[in-house]
Amino acid sequence: MAGAFQTGSGTPIAPHGLPGHLVGFVESLRRRGIAVGPSETVDAGRVMTVIDLLDREALREGLACTVLRRTTHRPTFDALFDLWFPPAIGHRTADTPDADLPRTPDGDIDLDALRELLAELLADDSAEAQAAVETLTAQMVEELGQYKSSNGPSFSAYQALREVAPETLLTRILEGLLGNSAPDARADGDYETEVARRTAARRISDFRAMVERETRRRTAEHLGRERVEKYGVPKLAEEVDFLRASDADMVALRRSVMPLARLLASRLAARRRRSRAGAIDLRRTLRKSMSTGGVPIDLINRKPRPARPELVVLCDVSGSVSGFSHFTLLLVHALREQFSRVRVFAFIDTTDEVTHYFSSGADLGDAMSRMLREADLITYDGHSDYGNALATFAERHAHSLTGRSSLLILGDARTNYRNPNLDVLEHLVGVARHAHWLNPEPRGQWGSGDSAARAYAEVITMHECRSAQQLAAVVAGLLPV
């Protein structure tokens, strides 16, 4: 990695050498929530002694193998790796004329020629074309993405991509991938055309990611690595706010459901082992002490009776909280063996039982889709109505809630200014053995606008669950022992 120890201004980026640089990288991983212990750090140092440090991808994979425990942490790791082990320092120049920005006779960047060149290179799968794209990307960020800010020069991926509009290159890349046969000449649904279309879309996506990485690299050189770490590095999947999660975030969250369920189940097993002895049986202990003159030498414990209560889930599946509800139902489904029985009821403005959609072995994505299509969840206008949903549940399904049941309500408690029906909720809470409400909104927003969260919180214990991390902590405390 030429120049890896000195910036363009002469400031060393690794003043304490490679060992100190590695320790700084590990500390940045910890700041972002990735647990890296001393043993993993030592292993990472050993990896760096046996691989070619000039091969960035080999270094990336080697460090990832030693410090990562979850695949969902990989995007955060990659973003931090690019900041701590950049491919270059300062402005990157073209090694060949093919990798230089095309210009007009006046010296300005020829955007049309640049688009043609990018389409040609993205259609080429060779290592030389990949290197040329990386060089073009660096020059685009330097010239098209640079702007002046109060802190000096800064860089914007949006500004660099806006002029090029890579989404318009799809047809040209397809033509390059398919050769002489234009995509319009092939039949719809043709396998080769579909493969080429997906390949072209993926390469455009990779090009966008390349621009974003280069933008972070240049910004870190001007504003400091620590500042870019705060706002330019993606959050861990379990830290993503449910209400702001993108489709990609939800895919990563769904991948984390089973590891999270296994972690919670292992915590429950540990709690059960600790409580295996049970509480002291005072009456039997005193009776036993009669043989020792009334001195309780041997303590007699009650026989533990591990509780496996029934779980009743009442879940808002309206659009505003659908991501949160979906993930929580996946987690509950994964933990169903911890309960003697699980019954699930969904609502938007009316409540219907949907337990049968989540039978053992069912595909949960299909189950959610079928539930939204087939279940009786809407009676009026399709807007959340917690008051009517609670009343419907009490009228049609009250028998499902008993003194052995744990009631779990999922939703943001936004009633659209309708009657919250607190009396019905108070009755349900009184019947259930335990009752908890999981709310994906920040606590500071409870009671604002049409939110009845503060009113509901006076009747039922309400927990803030904005992310999978918070949800795991709450569910771990609610699991039966």
Side-chain angles (χ1 to χ4, degrees), residues 381-430:
D381 55 4
H383 293 91
S384 295
D385 187 342
Y386 281 76
N388 189 63
L390 291 170
T392 305
F393 176 80
E395 178 184 348
R396 301 178 183 174
H397 310 289
H399 61 279
S400 63
L401 200 62
T402 67
R404 285 176 46 86
S405 302
S406 291
L407 175 63
L408 193 63
I409 302 178
L410 316 177
D412 58 4
R414 292 202 171 269
T415 63
N416 290 296
Y417 300 102
R418 294 165 175 168
N419 178 16
N421 226 336
L422 295 175
D423 293 339
V424 173
L425 177 62
E426 187 172 4
H427 170 70
L428 297 176
V429 171

Side-chain angles (χ1 to χ4, degrees), residues 7-184:
T7 64
S9 60
T11 303
I13 65 170
H16 304 292
L18 271 179
H21 197 67
L22 175 61
V23 170
F25 174 57
V26 168
E27 290 176 348
S28 72
L29 292 173
R30 291 171 179 163
R31 285 195 296 269
R32 297 301 300 180
I34 299 178
V36 183
S39 61
E40 287 90 348
T41 306
V42 171
D43 290 341
R46 290 173 177 168
V47 165
M48 295 182 69
T49 65
V50 297
I51 64 174
D52 183 3
L53 296 181
L54 297 179
D55 188 341
R56 285 186 73 245
E57 293 311 307
L59 178 61
R60 183 195 302 270
E61 297 303 323
L63 294 181
C65 288
T66 56
V67 303
L68 292 183
R69 304 176 186 177
R70 300 185 186 178
T71 57
T72 53
H73 292 175
R74 186 59 189 260
T76 302
F77 169 87
D78 284 337
L80 289 173
F81 179 88
D82 290 332
L83 290 177
W84 283 84
F85 299 92
I89 300 297
H91 178 52
R92 300 171 68 177
T93 57
D95 297 329
T96 62
D98 293 339
D100 204 355
L101 291 175
R103 300 184 181 275
T104 64
D106 297 333
D108 297 328
I109 298 175
D110 189 338
L111 294 177
D112 291 334
L114 176 58
R115 294 189 190 98
E116 290 289 346
L117 178 58
L118 281 173
E120 179 182 346
L121 292 173
L122 291 176
D124 189 346
D125 198 27
S126 65
E128 294 77 8
Q130 176 73 11
V133 171
E134 291 182 358
T135 304
L136 278 176
T137 298
Q139 295 183 47
M140 283 173 50
V141 170
E142 184 72 27
E143 298 196 35
L144 297 177
Q146 185 173 173
Y147 66 94
K148 299 295 182 182
S149 67
S150 57
N151 296 320
S154 192
F155 301 87
S156 166
Y158 169 77
Q159 184 171 306
L161 290 168
R162 180 185 59 188
E163 301 292 341
V164 178
E167 64 276 2
T168 63
L169 304 179
L170 181 62
T171 302
R172 301 177 191 176
I173 298 174
L174 270 175
E175 292 174 352
L177 292 172
L178 295 173
N180 296 328
S181 178
D184 292 340

Side-chain angles (χ1 to χ4, degrees), residues 246-259:
S246 64
D247 291 341
D249 292 331
M250 289 308 301
V251 170
L253 279 172
R254 284 193 287 271
R255 287 202 302 267
S256 69
V257 167
M258 292 311 297

Side-chain angles (χ1 to χ4, degrees), residues 53-347:
L53 296 181
L54 297 179
D55 188 341
R56 285 186 73 245
E57 293 311 307
L59 178 61
R60 183 195 302 270
E61 297 303 323
L63 294 181
C65 288
T66 56
V67 303
L68 292 183
R69 304 176 186 177
R70 300 185 186 178
T71 57
T72 53
H73 292 175
R74 186 59 189 260
T76 302
F77 169 87
D78 284 337
L80 289 173
F81 179 88
D82 290 332
L83 290 177
W84 283 84
F85 299 92
I89 300 297
H91 178 52
R92 300 171 68 177
T93 57
D95 297 329
T96 62
D98 293 339
D100 204 355
L101 291 175
R103 300 184 181 275
T104 64
D106 297 333
D108 297 328
I109 298 175
D110 189 338
L111 294 177
D112 291 334
L114 176 58
R115 294 189 190 98
E116 290 289 346
L117 178 58
L118 281 173
E120 179 182 346
L121 292 173
L122 291 176
D124 189 346
D125 198 27
S126 65
E128 294 77 8
Q130 176 73 11
V133 171
E134 291 182 358
T135 304
L136 278 176
T137 298
Q139 295 183 47
M140 283 173 50
V141 170
E142 184 72 27
E143 298 196 35
L144 297 177
Q146 185 173 173
Y147 66 94
K148 299 295 182 182
S149 67
S150 57
N151 296 320
S154 192
F155 301 87
S156 166
Y158 169 77
Q159 184 171 306
L161 290 168
R162 180 185 59 188
E163 301 292 341
V164 178
E167 64 276 2
T168 63
L169 304 179
L170 181 62
T171 302
R172 301 177 191 176
I173 298 174
L174 270 175
E175 292 174 352
L177 292 172
L178 295 173
N180 296 328
S181 178
D184 292 340
R186 296 180 178 269
D188 292 339
D190 179 86
Y191 177 77
E192 185 178 351
T193 302
E194 182 62 24
V195 170
R197 190 180 303 278
R198 295 188 181 188
T199 301
R202 177 176 54 80
R203 291 185 183 178
I204 290 175
S205 177
D206 292 344
F207 170 67
R208 287 180 172 275
M210 195 181 298
V211 172
E212 292 172 357
R213 289 196 299 269
E214 180 67 17
T215 301
R216 286 196 295 267
R217 180 184 75 85
R218 297 293 283 137
T219 303
E221 290 178 356
H222 285 78
L223 302 182
R225 188 190 295 123
E226 292 75 13
R227 182 168 180 178
V228 176
E229 283 181 11
K230 292 180 180 179
Y231 70 84
V233 174
K235 291 183 178 180
L236 300 180
E238 56 265 33
E239 293 181 348
V240 172
D241 195 318
F242 285 122
L243 301 185
R244 299 180 180 177
S246 64
D247 291 341
D249 292 331
M250 289 308 301
V251 170
L253 279 172
R254 284 193 287 271
R255 287 202 302 267
S256 69
V257 167
M258 292 311 297
L260 183 58
R262 286 194 296 268
L263 176 62
L264 294 179
S266 65
R267 289 179 181 175
L268 176 59
R271 286 164 54 188
R272 284 179 171 164
R273 282 196 300 270
R274 290 195 297 268
S275 63
R276 183 176 297 169
I280 295 175
D281 189 328
L282 183 60
R283 190 164 68 94
R284 294 178 61 196
T285 298
L286 292 177
R287 182 179 296 173
K288 178 80 171 178
S289 70
M290 297 302 292
S291 62
T292 57
V295 180
I297 295 177
D298 297 321
L299 299 180
I300 307 299
N301 296 323
R302 292 191 181 96
K303 184 178 180 180
R305 292 185 174 89
R308 284 169 57 88
E310 299 174 355
L311 178 64
V312 176
V313 182
L314 188 57
C315 178
D316 181 0
V317 293
S318 61
S320 60
V321 293
S322 59
F324 163 69
S325 299
H326 189 176
F327 181 81
T328 308
L329 286 177
L330 292 178
L331 183 60
V332 168
H333 186 269
L335 291 170
R336 63 190 180 278
E337 293 182 357
Q338 308 301 330
F339 300 89
S340 60
R341 188 178 186 185
V342 177
R343 299 187 68 174
V344 182
F345 299 85
F347 69 88

